[in-house]
Every structure is written in C-alpha cells, then in structure tokens.
Amino acid sequence: MVHLSVVVPCFNEAEVIDAFHTALLAALEPTGHPFEICYVDDGSSDSTLGRLRQLAADDPRVHFTSFSRNFGKESAMLAGLRMTAGDTAVLMDADLQHPPELIPRMLELHRNGYDQVIAQRDRSGEGAVRSALSRTYYRLVRRCMDVEVVDGAGDFRLLSRRAVDSVLSMPESNRFSKGIFSWIGFGSVSFTYQNVERAAGESKWGGRRLLNYGIDGLLSFNSRPLRLAIHTGLCLFLTGFLYAGWIITDDLLNGVDTPGYTTLLTAIVALGGIQLATLGVIGEYVGRIYHESKRRPHYVVSETDSRSRNRPAGPALECTAGARQTS
Ligand code: UDP
Ligand code: MG
C-alpha cells in the first residue's frame, strides 16, 4: 500500500473548498491507500483559512500551512510538497478543475513503474482566442526551450517520492514548475481528460498574469533569447557590411549622388529598436540573477496545523535532495 499525500494550493477558495474536500475524500477512501491531505493557504483574504483550520481539526489526515500573504501558486506548491511524508504526492487545484476521480487511475499507472503520472487536459469548453493563443505559445516554447513542456499538461500530476525530492532539491526562487517537472526527468506517462470548468469563484489568471507567466517560462529554463540577440546582431552587421560595400562601389563607379535620408532614418530606427529589445532581454536575466542572489525564502509561514510536519521557511538553498520533512 503506497502512502499518498495530496497537495492542494488554495487562494481565496472558500466557495469551493468544502465541495472539493468532500469529492477528494470520496475518491481517496475507496482506494484503501493510507493518505494525507496537505492544504496550503496562499494568503487568502476570504474565509479559506478558517475552513482549513476546521477541516484539520476534524480529521487528523488533514494538514495545512498558511502564508503571511499571497506568494503565488508556485510557492504554495513548494510548501505543500515540503509538507508531504507519503511515498507519492499528487498535486491538484482546489477548484475541482482537476477531478479527484482520476487519482485511482494515476495510482494504477504509478504502480506500473512511472515516477510521474501526468493528467493532461484537453481544451474543450475554453474560449477560442485563449486556446489559439496557448497553442501558439506552446509551439513557440517548444522551439525555444531546453526542456519539453506539453500543452495541457499542467500541475495535476502524481510524483513518486524520489521525484518530489528532486523537485525540492531545486533551490531557484523563480520557479516555473512546468519546466522543473520536465527537467528532473524520470519515467513519465500521461493521459488526457476532458477539461472541466471551475466549480465556483474566479480564476486568478488574468491576461496580464498569463503573459508574464509565459515570459517567465521562456526565460527560466534557458538562455536562448540571449543567443537570439547575438544572431540578430550578427545578421544585421553582415547586412550592413554588404550594404556599405555596395554603396562604396556604387559611389566609386558612378560618383556620389545619394542623399539617403530615408534609408538612414529607417536603419537608425530599426537598429535602435533591436538594441532596446536586446537590452530588455539582458535586463531580464540580470534582474533574475539579482533576485536569485538575494536568496530569500520562497514564502513566509504564518500558521500551520498543530500536527504539521512543515518546517518554517528556511533559506532558499537549505532544502536538499532527499530531505524529508519529519518532526
Ligand atoms: N492559487 C494559489 N495562489 C495564487 C493563485 C492560485 O494557490 O496566487 C491556486 C488556486 O487556489 C487554485 C490553483 O492555484 O487551487 C489554480 O488557480 P486558478 O484556478 O485560479 O487557475 P486556472 O485554473 O485558471 O489556471
Ligand atoms: Mg482553476
């Protein structure tokens, strides 16, 4: 019997948390596996924390950690994974978009020897514009990134203990979990399920947050944008060189007669634009280095349940592979 830990990040989910908890228990209890549920309250401003306190008081299998403010889903997932003591961990959302009924199937696939079982959603019921944009993004990302990220394969997945420990061994503070899960490797298998609408409440992902998440993803796992800048620079230099050669030859053969105002202006504007964009890319990386070098903890804990095994947020580099949270 594998011991299962379910990790659930929650941010303002008071409206659905009870329904979610009931559905989760209904899915877990018949499997016969011992389990624990690790909720992380990501600084909710509604009554989520109160609900979690109650759930933990009523059931010793429920644990929770609450953050001092909203630190984002990535930090919440990290805190949740640090709480786990099971042989496997399942990461899932609290809004019932990740159907708990799929967990037995994930366990089944895990028994076949896979360290990561990924439940991949299709895009049914999603707005046409949004799904077209996501598809384009993934096509772009696949070409630009050193790790493979798959469209629809989000955070709903089962990880074996060693996969969890590997994820925890990555100290970076700019956490892009899709990339992290792919980077750690191990045998993985995925299956598709039909996309479900959020049960209640609102998605926290507006257009701007999604765009920033997309840029994060592109920059977190490689330095190819910098390489692209070098290539663009080289191409421009070569073109300029050839053009200059052509003008000089033309001048020598036919005499000087070109005012060339338009050409000059176009060249200056285009070059200026490219230089600014490149500077922006470099700036992003420098910003990241600055951010990482501060080695801040990923989150600050304000409260845990009395039995929680979670340690308070330590320095980012404190957590190492194989470190299991006990006591
Ligand atoms: N979430 C979180 N912190 C945040 C935003 C979201 O812990 O800052 C949680 C949220 O409670 C939910 C999951 O992450 O359990 C997914 O969030 P959401 O449903 O808003 O995202 P979507 O499904 O639209 O991608
Ligand atoms: Mg959702």
Side-chain angles (χ1 to χ4, degrees), residues 133-311:
L133 277 178
S134 326
R135 238 174 250 137
T136 321
Y137 172 71
Y138 280 101
R139 215 168 293 152
L140 180 79
V141 154
R142 213 164 298 144
R143 207 163 297 166
C144 302
M145 235 154 126
D146 299 331
V147 291
E148 198 182 339
V149 281
V150 183
D151 186 11
D155 304 320
F156 188 22
R157 58 180 75 214
L158 178 147
L159 301 172
S160 65
R161 185 74 244 166
R162 55 182 188 162
V164 171
D165 288 340
S166 312
V167 169
L168 292 180
S169 74
M170 298 177 76
E172 61 238 62
S173 50
N174 214 310
R175 299 186 81 82
F176 180 66
S177 59
K178 279 181 199 233
I180 288 178
F181 293 138
S182 164
W183 187 88
I184 59 166
F186 293 124
S188 68
V189 62
S190 59
F191 63 88
T192 315
Y193 69 94
Q194 201 181 356
N195 190 23
V196 197
E197 290 288 305
R198 180 174 246 288
E202 268 172 29
S203 169
K204 282 94 201 166
W205 295 89
R208 194 155 152 191
R209 205 164 169 175
L210 268 179
L211 180 70
N212 284 334
Y213 184 72
I215 295 176
D216 262 359
L218 266 178
L219 297 186
S220 289
F221 266 84
N222 64 74
S223 43
R224 282 195 204 178
L226 288 174
R227 185 73 49 83
L228 185 73
I230 295 175
H231 288 171
T232 317
L234 278 179
C235 283
L236 278 173
F237 173 71
L238 205 70
T239 321
F241 193 72
L242 290 177
Y243 185 55
W246 181 65
I247 290 179
I248 291 169
T249 324
D250 191 46
D251 284 354
L252 287 179
L253 294 179
N254 307 324
V256 183
D257 71 340
T258 37
Y261 177 69
T262 329
T263 324
L264 207 64
L265 203 69
T266 317
I268 289 173
V269 169
L271 269 177
I274 290 167
Q275 277 172 349
L276 275 182
T278 311
L279 209 62
V281 172
I282 297 172
E284 268 294 324
Y285 282 105
V286 175
R288 264 147 221 269
I289 296 169
Y290 172 60
H291 196 71
E292 296 286 344
S293 69
K294 286 192 277 192
R295 293 202 183 179
R296 287 196 181 154
H298 298 94
Y299 50 83
V300 176
V301 173
S302 69
E303 186 180 334
T304 60
D305 63 294
S306 52
R307 300 170 309 277
S308 185
R309 293 165 305 283
N310 184 47
R311 71 172 115 174

Side-chain angles (χ1 to χ4, degrees), residues 93 95 97 198:
D93 289 358
D95 56 4
Q97 279 190 301
R198 180 174 246 288

